[in-house]
Amino acid sequence: MPGEAGKSDMERIGLFSEMEYITVGDKYVSPFNRPFNEAASKNKQMLPGGSKEMSDLQQGYFDPHFVRVFEGEGYVNMNQVRRRRMMEEAKKNIGKAFLPTNGTKMQCGFGSYYGTIGGPVQFFSAQLKPREKYLAPRKNLYTNPGKKGTGYGYTSLTIGKQPSHSADFYEESKVVYKKENEDHRHLLKGPPFKLNSYPREYFDANPYFIDKPLPPIKKAEKPVALTTPFKPSSPAKKDGGMKAGTFDPYPSHSTDSYGAKLLKQSPVKSDKIFHPPGGAKSRPAISIMTLNVKRALNMKNYKTASIQSY
């Protein structure tokens, strides 16, 4: 199929080079008819002879006859060994088994010690414990009595020493400012710079400001009322296919000279219209049928799948 807009097939697909060919001249074999294990259906196959079921008979085992783990070992009765061990443990007892003289005693209620081994616990008794005699704390240390005064206008009321008075010069801030201003003026080389370009208040002329006096107010003239209605001098003329009904006379005819026709100029290279290049090149796409086949056929159902089902 020829390419669109004079392009070859490779340029239309958008690949850099032509795809390689793996084989040439091989016959096509459908993957659905191809056997899974072709070697399993040729020549003779291994016949294991069927599976054996495990039972009490000898045919359920690999060996032809039952083989013992130890040959010639002595028979040991486990009951006899257990009894012999119990007799050896009984010899370790010093006397007879301990039997209590009386039966167990039942408690008569919550908090009672009747029937217990240790009896009452002194720590939980309700009797008062002996306490030490109470000694009242002694009085605080006496010092000099507090100094009288509220703090405002009274001296020597603080813990430390009274701060000494330092004289402060009256209006010292004004004197310092005046000195700094004189030092600043001493450093100046001349008067401040002023521009003569804008002698007025605004940078642009104020359009609403007028130097001249305003003219006197004009009195509104009242329209004169007409007593008689207006009547034209003569009736209007009807247009009879000419200029009879117009105000101006019929204009004179003027011949127009034929002008030279404008030649069609050939476009310059710079005057050409810009045409953008073609869009993104398409690539080979898989058909919908192939996608459905791949989804329907997988590694679990490839044995049971057939061509007729698709």
Side-chain angles (χ1 to χ4, degrees):
M1 183 176 179
E4 55 185 11
K7 296 181 180 180
S8 62
D9 293 340
M10 297 306 299
E11 292 179 351
R12 180 171 54 81
I13 294 175
L15 301 176
F16 292 101
S17 62
E18 190 174 0
M19 302 300 291
E20 297 180 356
Y21 297 94
I22 300 175
T23 57
V24 178
D26 293 349
K27 293 182 179 180
Y28 175 75
V29 179
S30 176
F32 302 104
N33 297 333
R34 186 181 302 168
F36 173 68
N37 190 1
E38 192 173 356
S41 60
K42 297 180 180 180
N43 301 327
K44 293 182 178 181
Q45 307 298 322
M46 182 178 66
L47 300 177
S51 59
K52 295 181 180 180
E53 295 181 359
M54 187 174 181
S55 62
D56 293 340
L57 301 178
Q58 191 61 37
Q59 65 179 3
Y61 301 92
F62 291 97
D63 297 334
H65 59 279
F66 183 76
V67 181
R68 295 179 60 86
V69 180
F70 298 102
E71 294 289 343
E73 74 274 12
Y75 176 73
V76 179
N77 189 357
M78 295 304 299
N79 291 332
Q80 187 178 0
V81 174
R82 192 179 300 106
R83 290 171 183 172
R84 189 183 297 114
R85 185 176 179 181
M86 291 173 62
M87 291 173 64
E88 292 176 359
E89 293 292 335
K91 291 179 181 179
K92 296 179 181 180
N93 297 331
I94 299 175
K96 297 181 179 180
F98 172 75
L99 296 176
T101 55
N102 297 323
T104 58
K105 297 179 181 180
M106 304 298 291
Q107 293 184 357
C108 60
F110 291 104
S112 65
Y113 297 96
Y114 180 78
T116 58
I117 300 175
V121 181
Q122 297 180 0
F123 184 80
F124 295 102
S125 64
Q127 297 179 0
L128 295 176
K129 297 180 180 179
R131 298 181 180 181
E132 297 179 357
K133 186 178 181 181
Y134 174 75
L135 296 176
R138 296 181 180 180
K139 296 182 179 181
N140 294 332
L141 180 67
Y142 284 102
T143 58
N144 293 332
K147 298 179 181 180
K148 297 180 180 180
T150 58
Y152 298 99
Y154 294 87
T155 59
S156 303
L157 297 180
T158 57
I159 299 175
K161 295 181 179 181
Q162 186 71 16
S164 60
H165 175 69
S166 58
D168 188 10
F169 184 70
Y170 184 68
E171 294 185 350
E172 185 179 1
S173 59
K174 291 184 179 181
V175 176
V176 173
Y177 173 74
K178 185 177 180 181
K179 186 179 179 180
E180 291 179 354
N181 194 10
E182 290 178 357
D183 295 341
H184 172 68
R185 290 182 176 276
H186 180 69
L187 297 175
L188 296 177
K189 296 182 179 180
F193 177 73
K194 295 181 181 180
L195 294 176
N196 298 326
S197 302
Y198 303 98
R200 298 187 180 183
E201 296 181 1
Y202 308 97
F203 290 98
D204 298 333
N206 189 0
Y208 303 100
F209 182 75
I210 301 174
D211 296 336
K212 299 178 181 180
L214 296 175
I217 300 173
K218 295 181 180 180
K219 295 182 179 180
E221 297 180 357
K222 295 181 179 180
V224 181
L226 300 175
T227 55
T228 58
F230 171 75
K231 292 182 180 180
S233 58
S234 59
K237 299 178 181 180
K238 295 182 179 180
D239 190 6
M242 53 181 181
K243 297 296 181 179
T246 59
F247 291 99
D248 298 332
Y250 191 81
S252 60
H253 178 68
S254 61
T255 57
D256 297 333
S257 60
Y258 293 97
K261 294 183 179 180
L262 297 176
L263 299 177
K264 189 176 182 181
Q265 298 179 358
S266 59
V268 193
K269 187 176 181 180
S270 60
D271 298 340
K272 289 185 178 180
I273 301 174
F274 172 72
H275 294 282
K281 297 181 180 180
S282 61
R283 295 183 60 83
I286 303 174
S287 64
I288 298 175
M289 183 179 295
T290 308
L291 286 175
N292 293 334
V293 169
K294 286 185 177 180
R295 290 172 183 169
L297 186 65
N298 48 48
M299 60 183 295
K300 294 183 179 180
N301 64 350
Y302 70 92
K303 289 184 178 181
T304 58
S306 62
I307 304 176
Q308 297 177 0
S309 61
Y310 298 103

